[in-house]
Amino acid sequence: APCSMLDATLRLDVGGGIMEVGDDESEIDFMLVEPSIDLGLNLTDTLVFGASLGYRWLDGSDSDLLQDNDLESLTGAVFLRFDEF
């Protein structure tokens, strides 16, 4: 709401898929979980400036070229969101 200057949102992204790794076209199945918190500052009625901080967990990567801990890490983003047009 524009009347509250700062808002916080908890977010949970869950996904999975198949990835091709290396030149030999080997495939790995994986599952990804990324919880995060978003903080937004309402600049106007329709414009929000914010930042996001989270952590990415990965499971299922069993390739010699790519391990789970190669993709696990802190995540962050800065965003500008237009709420209405």
Side-chain angles (χ1 to χ4, degrees):
C3 59
S4 73
M5 289 293 293
L6 186 67
D7 59 60
T9 305
L10 295 176
R11 190 175 69 209
L12 178 65
D13 296 328
V14 178
I18 299 173
M19 212 178 341
E20 292 182 7
V21 180
D23 294 335
D24 60 355
E25 307 256 343
S26 61
E27 293 181 343
I28 55 173
D29 297 326
F30 68 94
M31 180 176 171
L32 177 117
V33 177
E34 186 175 330
S36 63
I37 184 167
D38 297 348
L39 295 175
L41 176 65
N42 293 317
L43 300 176
T44 66
D45 289 348
T46 58
L47 186 63
V48 178
F49 175 77
S52 175
L53 182 64
Y55 191 83
R56 179 186 310 123
W57 283 284
L58 189 80
D59 185 40
S61 178
D62 55 1
S63 169
D64 292 336
L65 298 173
L66 187 63
Q67 299 294 315
D68 290 343
N69 58 1
D70 293 332
L71 299 173
E72 291 181 351
S73 67
L74 283 174
T75 61
V78 176
F79 60 88
L80 189 61
R81 183 178 71 216
F82 298 93
D83 284 342
E84 295 179 23
F85 287 96

